[in-house]
Amino acid sequence: MPKVRSETTQPLRSAQRMLDVLNSFSIPKSSRTLTEISDELDLAPSTVRRLLLVLEGHDLLVLDRETGRYGISPRIARLEVIARARSLIAVASPILARLCDETNETLILDALDGGDCVHVDVHHGHKLVSAYNPVGTRFPSWSGLASGQVLLAWASEQRLRSLVPEPSEWNADAGGRFATYDELLAELQRVRRRGYAINDRGTDPEVWAVAAPVWSSRHAVDAAISIVVPSSRAKRGYTQQMIAAIKQVADEVTDAWGPMAKEAYGDPPSPR
């Protein structure tokens, strides 16, 4: 009796070969020719050509048409950012939940996605009046949010310029609470000096917030943790307690995240 060929065999084989092509790239082999990939994978050049065309068409590989060499697309790098965020949430979430239970205020974990500050984990307080923003909420990182200030404060000048509007294009609409690019730079300098950022009704007259950085072990800020308080409760004694609490929790998450990032992603030692 003849074998019945599965309809999924060919698509699965093609998918496996595409993964093999992607896995053939590495730091020592960051750019490759069709022939090099064909020889390494022992696949016909015509087969490799078809696979490369599909991967290039989906913006997973880029072709230097002058040299004929392929390289990994920046879109692949974004997948690492997503993976890091997922891992970081798993580390941070129980710690944020604990502080949320202790304070009954809203705790938010934010990460950068392009130039936006995105809520990737949120623990809402249960007081009658509390801040509410769901996971996935995003704001321009330069708009004045405490978490946005933290995520920008330790960025290199080149990185910062890639995330915010050009100084010549800065205006009240683009800059949020900062009227000029220089005002933003001055505030980021203050954030670096004290180690945390405050948004005292700057973007919302009803909200006070403080944020502190979560450091990866690659000498960079991976995320920001903020505590968001209705301005009606933002009295000096209480806000000082919130500042101390957020700094302690951010340090705790950093200490838990650093070894995991080193093991999973090969990050070098933490700067702290």
Side-chain angles (χ1 to χ4, degrees):
M1 183 175 181
K3 290 184 178 180
V4 178
R5 184 176 178 180
S6 169
E7 294 181 1
T8 61
T9 300
Q10 186 59 40
L12 280 175
R13 184 181 296 116
S14 296
Q16 290 166 351
R17 286 173 172 174
M18 285 184 197
L19 292 175
D20 289 340
V21 169
L22 290 174
N23 285 328
S24 73
F25 289 85
S26 63
I27 292 177
K29 300 175 181 177
S30 60
S31 68
R32 315 210 66 194
T33 66
L34 184 155
T35 301
E36 290 170 346
I37 298 170
S38 174
D39 290 345
E40 180 175 321
L41 300 181
D42 195 23
L43 293 173
S46 58
T47 300
V48 174
R49 183 177 292 106
R50 289 195 298 271
L51 297 173
L52 291 172
L53 284 172
V54 172
L55 291 168
E56 185 186 5
H58 285 274
D59 196 25
L60 298 176
L61 292 179
V62 291
L63 171 63
D64 184 331
R65 301 194 182 281
E66 291 186 3
T67 64
R69 303 188 74 85
Y70 289 85
I72 294 293
S73 159
R75 187 173 183 181
I76 292 287
R78 189 168 182 269
L79 296 179
E80 183 193 342
V81 173
I82 294 170
R84 291 181 75 97
R86 181 176 179 274
S87 300
L88 180 53
I89 291 167
V91 170
S93 192
I95 300 172
L96 270 62
R98 188 194 69 221
L99 183 58
C100 180
D101 288 342
E102 292 172 358
T103 64
N104 229 346
E105 302 290 4
T106 296
L107 273 292
I108 301 174
L109 180 69
D110 282 293
L112 277 178
D113 183 18
D116 286 344
C117 176
V118 182
H119 296 352
V120 296
D121 192 29
V122 179
H123 297 262
H124 293 109
H126 301 292
K127 291 182 178 178
L128 182 61
V129 179
S130 61
Y132 179 80
N133 277 316
V135 169
T137 301
R138 58 175 60 224
F139 302 90
S141 56
W142 59 89
S143 63
L145 294 178
S147 53
Q149 295 174 53
V150 164
L151 291 168
L152 296 179
W154 284 272
S156 67
E157 182 178 356
Q158 181 180 5
R159 171 73 168 149
L160 182 62
R161 289 293 185 103
S162 73
L163 295 171
V164 306
E166 290 290 332
S168 60
E169 300 173 358
W170 202 271
N171 54 54
D173 292 333
R177 59 176 279 212
F178 303 111
T180 67
Y181 179 72
D182 287 341
E183 280 190 22
L184 171 66
L185 292 183
E187 185 61 31
L188 297 184
Q189 186 176 24
R190 285 189 284 271
V191 171
R192 288 192 297 273
R193 186 168 60 245
R194 66 188 175 215
Y196 60 88
I198 290 176
N199 178 17
D200 187 359
R201 306 168 180 87
T203 55
D204 185 331
E206 302 299 324
V207 170
W208 179 95
V210 59
V214 175
W215 291 88
S216 75
S217 52
R218 56 182 176 181
H219 295 226
V221 173
D222 260 6
I225 297 176
S226 58
I227 189 163
V228 184
V229 177
S231 56
S232 59
R233 288 201 292 275
K235 311 303 181 185
R236 178 167 177 77
Y238 189 64
T239 57
Q240 291 301 310
Q241 293 176 30
M242 296 300 100
I243 290 170
I246 208 68
K247 290 171 62 180
Q248 179 178 341
V249 161
D251 285 349
E252 189 175 343
V253 173
T254 292
D255 289 341
W257 170 238
M260 181 176 179
K262 181 179 179 181
E263 180 178 353
Y265 305 104
D267 289 350
S270 170
R272 292 200 312 110

